[in-house]
């Protein structure tokens, strides 16, 4: 191996160690007296801050979260990514979680770790939860960016099942929700999870959110139909709503161009909020 190779090797090793250290050293925990502790990474910086809400069974180390962190870092803006209860590095048991508990997680992060206006970026299930946070904290949530927003999706999918299948799930107490994102080919959901989630559906009536909203959705999304983003746009009271459809976009929206679009969308909103202020 030439010196160049060795040097490159050494550099990539150093880079790898740096990445590992970065991951280890900067995980903090939000301790809550009556709830499990939440793991998070926070960049201090100026407002508006950006908070990333991951998808179902996902965590804060995904590509969209880290790309946004790097972007906010370069601009000097505050940024937070975190894990819901029972997910990633946060405490608690996944099988005891509900949409309501995860909603409270988002509000804990907003209330305890941020000051001033925040832009929430929600991926899939995180997009559903960001709507709840914007309803609950209108003074704090200054703008929303949804990526493949899965508002009401688990409940809607369940209700589309034949009544026999619904009854069988109720009897067994478990629903094997099909997915391409793990080896089993399904997520195991408790029937109680679905029942509880029904209390958090937002698409049945007008959604009282008036801040700017950007909804990005891939038209080849095999998990969450892009029509849901259209329904959200239709239901929110805000007049400042853009839906951006990516013709060949998949559910995860993690291609290079998708990530660029997400970062640019957040960048535009930061500019917009600065002019409004």
């Amino acid at each position: 191996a030439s010196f160049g190779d060795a040097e490159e090797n050494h550099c990539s090793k150093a880079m790898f160690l740096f990445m590992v250290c970065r991951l280890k050293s900067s995980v903090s925990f939000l301790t809550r007296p009556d709830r499990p502790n939440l793991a998070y990474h926070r960049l201090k910086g100026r407002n508006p801050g950006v908070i990333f809400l991951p998808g179902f069974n996902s965590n804060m180390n995904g590509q969209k979260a880290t790309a946004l962190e790097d972007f906010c870092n370069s601009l000097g803006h505050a940024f937070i990514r975190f894990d819901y209860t029972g997910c990633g590095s946060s405490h608690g048991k996944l099988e005891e979680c509900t949409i309501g508990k995860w909603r409270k997680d988002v509000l804990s992060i907003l209330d305890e770790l941020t000051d001033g206006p925040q832009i929430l970026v929600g991926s899939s299930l995180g997009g559903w939860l960001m709507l709840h946070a914007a309803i609950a904290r209108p003074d704090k949530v200054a703008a929303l960016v949804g990526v493949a927003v899965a508002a009401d999706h688990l409940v809607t999918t369940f209700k589309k099942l034949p009544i026999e299948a619904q009854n069988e799930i109720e009897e067994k107490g478990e629903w094997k929700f099909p997915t391409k994102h793990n080896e089993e080919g399904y997520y195991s959901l408790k029937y109680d999870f679905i029942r509880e989630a029904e209390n958090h559906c937002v698409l049945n009536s007008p959604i009282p959110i008036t801040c700017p909203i950007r909804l990005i959705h891939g038209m080849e999304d095999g998990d969450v139909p892009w029509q849901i983003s259209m329904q959200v746009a239709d239901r929110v009271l805000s007049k400042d709503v853009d839906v951006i459809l990516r013709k060949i976009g998949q559910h995860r929206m993690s291609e290079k161009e998708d990530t660029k679009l997400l970062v640019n969308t957040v960048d535009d909103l930061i500019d917009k909020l600065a002019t409004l202020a």
Side-chain angles (χ1 to χ4, degrees), residues 21-261:
C21 292
R22 172 180 151 176
L23 284 174
K24 277 187 183 159
S25 65
S26 50
V27 172
S28 308
F29 285 90
L30 174 62
T31 53
R32 303 181 291 175
D34 51 341
R35 299 184 182 282
N37 298 343
L38 295 179
Y40 69 92
H41 285 261
R42 173 166 58 172
L43 281 182
K44 297 244 165 114
R46 61 178 188 276
N47 283 337
V50 177
I51 305 177
F52 184 79
L53 283 60
F56 185 74
N57 264 10
S58 188
N59 63 46
M60 62 170 149
N61 297 323
Q63 193 191 345
K64 293 186 286 288
T66 49
L68 282 170
E69 181 174 69
D70 292 341
F71 169 71
C72 287
N73 197 15
S74 71
L75 278 190
H77 274 263
F79 177 81
I80 294 174
R81 54 191 167 100
F82 70 100
D83 288 332
Y84 308 120
T85 298
C87 303
S89 305
S90 285
H91 298 176
K93 295 191 173 90
L94 183 62
E95 55 276 14
E96 290 171 9
C97 288
T98 61
I99 297 292
K101 284 181 182 171
W102 287 336
R103 174 186 171 275
K104 285 186 173 142
D105 290 348
V106 180
L107 297 180
S108 295
I109 296 284
L110 257 176
D111 295 343
E112 305 293 326
L113 299 179
T114 70
D115 292 307
Q118 304 296 315
I119 297 172
L120 304 190
V121 181
S123 175
S124 196
L125 171 96
W128 186 4
L129 294 170
M130 80 178 182
L131 296 171
H132 278 288
I135 294 166
R137 300 288 185 272
D139 299 342
K140 205 137 200 203
V141 177
L144 297 175
V145 179
V147 182
V149 170
D152 304 7
H153 180 54
L154 293 167
V155 176
T156 314
T157 309
F158 178 77
K159 288 189 169 165
K160 280 184 185 156
L161 295 173
I163 201 77
E164 305 77 52
Q166 291 187 34
N167 292 339
E168 193 187 329
I169 289 163
E170 186 175 354
E171 276 162 36
K172 280 188 181 161
E174 183 197 29
W175 180 26
K176 291 183 172 172
F177 182 79
T179 178
K180 300 190 294 286
H181 301 300
N182 68 15
E183 282 169 17
E184 290 85 40
Y186 62 84
Y187 294 133
S188 178
L189 290 176
K190 283 198 158 82
Y191 177 67
D192 292 347
F193 180 94
I194 300 299
R195 290 307 309 268
E196 196 276 345
E198 285 179 19
N199 306 326
H200 302 285
C201 287
V202 291
L203 295 175
N204 309 328
S205 52
I207 306 172
I209 298 175
T210 54
C211 67
I213 302 172
R214 305 290 176 264
L215 302 166
I216 302 169
H217 217 127
M219 292 176 83
E220 288 187 11
D221 188 332
D223 297 279
V224 178
W226 57 264
Q227 288 84 352
I228 293 182
S229 283
M230 306 301 267
Q231 285 176 284
V232 171
D234 188 43
R235 287 284 185 215
V236 290
L237 299 181
S238 174
K239 298 275 185 280
D240 184 359
V241 183
D242 293 340
V243 181
I244 304 158
L245 295 176
R246 304 275 292 166
K247 187 169 179 177
I248 55 166
Q250 307 281 328
H251 180 62
R252 292 216 159 150
M253 293 291 283
S254 49
E255 297 296 319
K256 205 172 165 187
E257 289 302 310
D258 299 333
T259 310
K260 207 154 96 181
L261 173 65

